[in-house]
């Protein structure tokens, strides 16, 4: 999902109260997003998020 408020792509985890909970692609800390604003990420946005996650793993030596 794409969160335009933060301009980030995240994987939908659950709904918590009035919020959608998203987690960064590749793992990390969840954040709250407005479910009325998020939308499915485009293929380009998903690819970019996947590349960022892979680069982060490489930097950590995983």
């Amino acid at each position: 999902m794409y969160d335009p408020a933060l301009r980030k792509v995240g994987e939908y985890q659950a709904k918590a109260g009035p919020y959608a909970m998203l987690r960064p692609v590749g793992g990390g800390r969840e954040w709250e997003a407005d479910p009325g604003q998020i939308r499915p990420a485009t293929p380009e946005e998903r690819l970019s998020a996947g590349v960022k996650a892979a680069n982060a793993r490489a930097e950590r030596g995983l």
Side-chain angles (χ1 to χ4, degrees):
M1 301 299 293
Y2 181 76
D3 180 359
L6 296 179
R7 297 168 57 181
K8 290 173 53 174
V9 174
E11 298 171 346
Y12 179 84
Q13 299 296 303
K15 185 167 182 178
Y19 300 104
M21 301 303 296
L22 302 178
R23 182 181 303 274
V25 174
R29 189 174 186 186
E30 290 182 345
W31 76 91
E32 297 174 340
D34 179 347
Q37 297 296 314
I38 61 175
R39 61 167 172 77
T42 65
E44 293 82 10
E45 290 164 340
R46 288 193 306 270
L47 178 62
S48 178
V51 169
K52 286 178 187 176
N55 286 341
R57 281 192 306 272
E59 288 174 6
R60 290 190 310 258
L62 299 178

